[in-house]
Amino acid sequence: MTALLDRDTGRPAARRTLPGADGLVWTVLRLHRTAMWVWTAYVAVAVGMLLWLWGPGANAAQKAFDAFGYSGAQENAYRDGFSFLGFGGSFDSRFYGPSSLIGIASCAIAVFAAGPLIARELERGTAGLAWTQSVSPARWLTAKLAVPAVFVAVGTGLIVVLYRLVWNAHNHLLVAGIGPRSFAFSLGPATVANALFGLAVGVLAALVLRRTLPALAAAGVVQFLAGAMRGNNWPFQHSPFSRLQPELPVFSKAITSTGAKVSDPGCYLSQKCLDRHHITGFTRSYLPSPDYWPRQLAETGVLLGLTALAVAAAFLVLRRYQPKKETTA
């Protein structure tokens, strides 16, 4: 075996190592590089869809709205064909595509954490091998949690911020109903907390069950139920006087040739009617709800609290893997 020598001192050169606790960060990145690339691709696709919706994707609906107001936006939405996850269809149907991807991704995070990240290594014994190489189980689990958590928080946070920008720019083009309300109350900091919760749940399920398939199933079910309870279905988001959720308030006006804002004359798609009322444009936007931030912060707090409990439970369960100290008489 030969060693590289330093040209100045003639002694063996010091080996360069990447930062991290005993290279754990680099090891996690190398071991799960395929998953990291898949996550990066998902973020890139979601961001690309949102940037397109922010710009050229809204053009047809905007032209219809400029000509006939909300009636034009409705006609544009109902005229276009079927949409799957935001591909094809009208702006209204495409708008919710990235939101569907977020829901799928949160379940995928839990499944990945339960299977490839933790349970598979426990089954194959690679985790035990790492613990014999001067890496304690606690440090191993810390790296396993921290590295994916950074990717999840940054990627999901970027999507949420961009999504809110698209909402602020084009919410006037969306058809009224439960869709805009559900979106408005479900997307925010709680979305990031929900993804982190899925990561923690997956890790805990893997450590408790120690088998890949049962851990996958348990983590996927728990995260699916958590996602189903979000948005309009949280108990504190329901009106105490009615089981039905009111729609978000909308500010809608027609603009005359003099620049005055008047009530929409209800001409629908009749240009003659608009000309008779001297209507040259429209304005419409969903008004921000005063309940949004209290509910988002409450939901975020609940999810982060559950995430912290799941992480603490995972480290407690991990204690069973700690080597027992031998006592001497």
Side-chain angles (χ1 to χ4, degrees):
M1 180 183 295
T2 59
L4 296 176
L5 300 180
D6 190 287
R7 287 186 293 179
D8 297 328
T9 63
R11 296 179 180 179
R15 187 178 61 180
R16 297 180 180 179
T17 58
L18 291 174
D22 294 340
L24 280 177
V25 172
W26 177 245
T27 301
V28 172
L29 288 172
R30 288 281 297 172
L31 187 62
H32 302 290
R33 59 186 179 275
T34 301
M36 300 305 173
W37 280 115
V38 171
W39 174 258
T40 302
Y42 151 71
V43 173
V45 169
V47 167
M49 291 175 64
L50 290 170
L51 289 174
W52 187 77
L53 288 173
W54 199 5
N59 286 346
Q62 185 63 53
K63 290 179 180 178
F65 178 84
D66 291 339
F68 301 106
Y70 179 55
S71 299
Q74 282 183 303
E75 177 68 13
N76 179 266
Y78 296 145
R79 184 179 65 247
D80 287 339
F82 174 76
S83 171
F84 176 72
L85 294 181
F87 297 97
S90 66
F91 173 83
D92 186 83
S93 59
R94 291 192 298 262
F95 178 85
Y96 300 104
S99 180
S100 300
L101 291 180
I102 290 174
I104 295 172
S106 66
C107 290
I109 291 168
V111 169
F112 164 75
L117 187 66
I118 301 294
R120 188 173 64 183
E121 293 201 28
L122 294 177
E123 278 189 332
R124 293 181 176 180
T126 53
L129 178 62
W131 299 338
T132 63
Q133 305 297 319
S134 301
V135 177
S136 68
R139 292 168 66 190
W140 172 83
L141 182 57
T142 300
K144 287 286 188 179
L145 279 166
V147 175
V150 171
F151 277 81
V152 168
V154 172
T156 307
L158 175 62
I159 293 172
V160 167
V161 170
L162 188 56
Y163 221 153
R164 298 304 301 191
L165 292 176
V166 176
W167 162 266
N168 292 336
H170 298 305
N171 62 40
H172 61 287
L173 302 177
L174 299 176
V175 176
I178 192 63
R181 177 184 171 82
S182 178
F183 170 84
F185 280 106
S186 64
L187 201 74
T191 306
V192 181
N194 183 59
L196 294 175
F197 172 70
L199 177 65
V201 164
V203 170
L204 178 60
L207 289 171
V208 170
L209 300 176
R210 303 181 63 180
R211 292 293 182 269
T212 300
L213 290 180
L216 289 175
V221 169
V222 171
Q223 184 62 14
F224 174 80
L225 294 176
M229 290 185 63
R230 294 197 58 227
N232 275 354
N233 295 322
W234 280 86
F236 49 76
Q237 292 191 350
H238 284 277
S239 169
F241 306 105
S242 173
R243 298 182 62 184
L244 298 177
Q245 291 293 324
E247 295 181 3
L248 290 178
V250 180
F251 176 81
S252 181
K253 292 291 182 179
I255 303 175
T256 67
S257 56
T258 62
K261 292 183 178 180
V262 299
S263 298
D264 192 327
C267 294
Y268 194 57
L269 302 180
S270 173
Q271 186 62 51
K272 291 182 179 180
C273 175
L274 294 175
D275 293 339
R276 186 168 61 251
H277 289 86
H278 307 288
I279 302 300
T280 59
F282 296 87
T283 178
R284 177 178 182 268
S285 62
Y286 285 100
L287 301 179
S289 172
D291 298 334
Y292 173 77
W293 280 111
R295 296 176 180 185
Q296 268 292 307
L297 294 178
E299 186 179 350
T300 302
V302 170
L303 288 169
L304 290 180
L306 293 175
T307 301
L309 289 176
V311 171
F315 277 96
L316 289 176
V317 173
L318 190 68
R319 295 179 62 181
R320 75 171 69 167
Y321 302 109
Q322 298 282 358
K324 297 180 179 180
K325 296 182 179 179
E326 297 182 0
T327 58
T328 57

